[in-house]
Amino acid sequence: AELAALEWRQLRQRALLLLAGGALLVIALMIALLLGSLALMVHFWDTPLRVTVAWSVAGGWLALSLALAGLLALLVRRAPAAFAITREELAKDWSLIKESM
């Protein structure tokens, strides 16, 4: 039970840290990309390239979104199994109990 509680605290702490860091990263990226997109649109507004720039900005946002989705999927796949050490210890304990019977 102590091992499970320890693993739960570690898992929860890591999840909260990832959540807070991810939220800050998303906010910073959104502000930077929004301002960059706006700067590009303003710069090319009086030129014939304004439609091309607008679609390029939209495509850039789409590419960024897909890259972030791929990164998140990779992080989820690489995450360690929850309570792996606890399950391992319980399996050892169970095998010892079966042997003693």
Side-chain angles (χ1 to χ4, degrees):
E2 288 180 39
L3 185 58
L6 177 65
E7 279 192 281
W8 172 249
R9 280 194 302 268
Q10 288 176 345
L11 191 72
R12 188 182 65 182
Q13 184 180 15
R14 181 173 180 227
L16 288 174
L17 185 62
L18 281 173
L19 184 64
L24 287 175
L25 180 63
V26 164
I27 290 168
L29 279 173
M30 289 295 291
I31 291 170
L33 291 173
L34 184 61
L35 290 176
S37 299
L38 185 61
L40 275 173
M41 299 288 283
V42 167
H43 183 74
F44 287 100
W45 189 254
D46 289 335
T47 69
L49 295 174
R50 86 173 140 231
V51 173
T52 304
V53 170
W55 280 107
S56 297
V57 167
W61 278 97
L62 179 62
L64 178 70
S65 298
L66 292 174
L68 286 174
L71 179 64
L72 286 175
L74 179 67
L75 286 175
V76 168
R77 275 189 247 124
R78 294 176 111 193
F83 301 105
I85 298 170
T86 302
R87 283 188 273 147
E88 201 175 291
E89 283 298 317
L90 287 174
K92 287 178 189 176
D93 292 346
W94 183 247
S95 66
L96 287 173
I97 290 171
K98 286 168 69 175
E99 287 175 10
S100 67
M101 292 183 157

